[in-house]
Amino acid sequence: MFWVNKAHAGNTFMPPQASNFAESVDTLYGFLYYSSLISCILVIGGLVYFAFKYKRKTASDKTAYIPHNALLEFLWSFIPFVIFLVVFAWGWKIFYDMRSAPKDALEIHVVGQKWNWDFVYKSGRKTSSEFTIPINTPIKLIMGSRDVLHSFFVPSFRVKQDVIPGRYTSLWFTATKEGNFNVFCTEYCGTGHSTMLAKVKVVSKAAYESWLENNPYKGLTLSEVGQKVYAGRCIACHNVTNVKKIGPGFAGLWGSERKLTDGSTVVADEAYIRESILNPNAKKSVGYEEAVMTSFQGQVSEEELTGVIEYLKTLK
Ligand SMILES: [Cu+2]
């Protein structure tokens, strides 16, 4: 429509229109903007005009008796009423479309947590802080939160949805432009809120298929995933034998009793290993008081984490 200059959508204050919803949202927004502007000019302009026209000129100037005007009063109520109804119906139509995902949409799970976004595909592929989608394909995001309220917002797609702990919410769209687009968390969720960003990469369908094929963990068992993670992330500090390096050797660690610096003991089970990766200093073992390990919170996916646990089980 005339009030949305498509050629300039990328150069004005609006982000590029990169989804099936972008144009209709912008058009409604444009209508609201310009109808408000016209109303504002009429009301303020009329006010200024009448202030001068009916200014008291002499001390004895007296306002004539003004009877009310039924037609005028009807119109200034009815016309805005019709405009409001138009905006309501128009907005409802777009809202309804945004809430009705096509049945064949490509589903991707999204998990928000302080302070990053995780993405899980049906194939088992998992990514953090970025996800890849094919162009011109309906995408449905099924979203949940591990902790507090977040909100998933892609300005270029004109879509936004709260992500709430304890329930699933969803969002759908079809990306119509290739490229990288920003994802923001748009619900204040703590000190790291402003860094809770992600990227959505829109690629051709062929590029998407080959990206999906190139899963580094494709076809691997959980413990094989763990072995790969070990080779990349743990090997600098941990041996696969029972020999101490910077941290304890991994062989025989699983299921063993760990003596803690506070005098208690704990069995190295799933919960203990998970905690030792995400929060290494929560339980310090005798002999490792220096606490040199840093947290892997947010740096390993759930798949990698359970992979490492399963890998440890195989090291006897
Ligand atoms: Cu957040």
Side-chain angles (χ1 to χ4, degrees):
M1 295 215 189
F2 70 92
W3 50 76
V4 177
N5 188 340
K6 283 185 86 173
H8 285 264
N11 305 328
T12 61
F13 63 97
M14 295 296 273
Q17 297 177 332
S19 86
N20 58 325
F21 295 126
E23 194 181 341
S24 54
V25 169
D26 286 359
T27 306
L28 175 54
Y29 186 82
F31 177 80
L32 282 170
Y33 181 83
Y34 284 104
S35 59
S36 302
L37 187 70
I38 291 166
S39 306
C40 181
I41 289 169
L42 286 177
V43 171
I44 303 297
L47 185 146
V48 171
Y49 172 75
F50 289 127
F52 282 100
K53 183 169 162 71
Y54 296 108
K55 188 173 183 298
R56 185 160 73 170
K57 288 174 186 95
T58 62
S60 60
D61 234 2
K62 210 172 167 227
T63 307
Y65 176 69
I66 305 169
H68 83 118
N69 185 325
L71 179 69
L72 198 62
E73 286 166 17
F74 171 75
L75 286 181
W76 79 44
S77 303
F78 189 73
I79 292 173
F81 173 69
V82 170
I83 293 174
F84 290 147
L85 279 187
V86 166
V87 169
F88 167 75
W90 192 347
W92 185 83
K93 167 80 174 75
I94 296 173
F95 182 80
Y96 184 83
D97 290 345
M98 284 177 147
R99 295 291 126 184
S100 323
K103 288 225 159 46
D104 60 347
L106 184 104
E107 292 181 342
I108 301 169
H109 287 264
V110 179
V111 180
Q113 60 180 340
K114 293 192 274 186
W115 286 280
N116 72 303
W117 298 102
D118 285 334
F119 304 89
V120 187
Y121 291 74
K122 294 238 181 196
S123 66
R125 181 90 189 243
K126 298 184 177 80
T127 62
S128 262
S129 304
E130 62 167 59
F131 69 119
T132 301
I133 56 166
I135 192 169
N136 295 331
T137 308
I139 309 288
K140 182 179 179 184
L141 303 180
I142 301 162
M143 310 195 287
S145 167
R146 285 210 186 107
D147 38 47
V148 299
L149 202 75
H150 301 283
S151 188
F152 191 90
F153 180 34
V154 191
S156 297
F157 296 172
R158 312 288 193 272
V159 292
K160 183 193 279 183
Q161 171 63 50
D162 276 9
V163 179
I164 302 163
R167 83 159 89 145
Y168 287 109
T169 53
S170 71
L171 185 67
W172 88 274
F173 55 84
T174 299
T176 52
K177 265 199 177 74
E178 284 187 27
N180 292 351
F181 301 98
N182 291 320
V183 177
F184 294 99
C185 176
T186 183
E187 185 77 61
Y188 181 67
C189 57
T191 50
H193 166 68
S194 62
T195 63
M196 190 167 166
L197 308 169
K199 275 225 150 39
V200 46
K201 298 179 171 182
V202 182
V203 298
S204 69
K205 288 181 190 187
Y208 172 74
E209 290 303 326
S210 76
W211 175 84
L212 212 54
E213 281 298 305
N214 275 323
N215 184 354
Y217 301 138
K218 190 176 179 10
L220 297 186
T221 65
L222 266 182
S223 76
E224 286 166 344
V225 170
Q227 190 174 10
K228 276 207 159 196
V229 176
Y230 168 80
R233 313 296 295 267
C234 321
I235 197 165
C237 300
H238 297 278
N239 283 318
V240 282
T241 63
N242 61 6
V243 179
K244 174 180 173 177
K245 209 171 183 180
I246 293 169
F250 278 170
L253 184 71
W254 173 258
S256 67
E257 280 205 343
R258 310 286 300 161
K259 277 199 169 52
L260 302 185
T261 50
D262 67 358
S264 64
T265 58
V266 62
V267 173
D269 58 5
E270 281 95 349
Y272 170 80
I273 290 171
R274 186 188 174 87
E275 181 182 59
S276 300
I277 293 170
L278 298 181
N279 187 9
N281 303 323
K283 294 190 175 69
K284 280 188 245 176
S285 294
V286 173
Y288 301 94
E289 288 84 358
E290 282 176 65
V292 290
M293 183 167 160
T294 54
S295 169
F296 280 81
Q297 182 82 51
Q299 298 183 41
V300 287
S301 69
E302 200 58 40
E303 181 184 30
E304 292 170 326
L305 194 56
T306 42
V308 168
I309 292 172
E310 290 305 314
Y311 179 53
L312 281 188
K313 291 181 185 176
T314 68
L315 299 172
K316 303 239 162 63

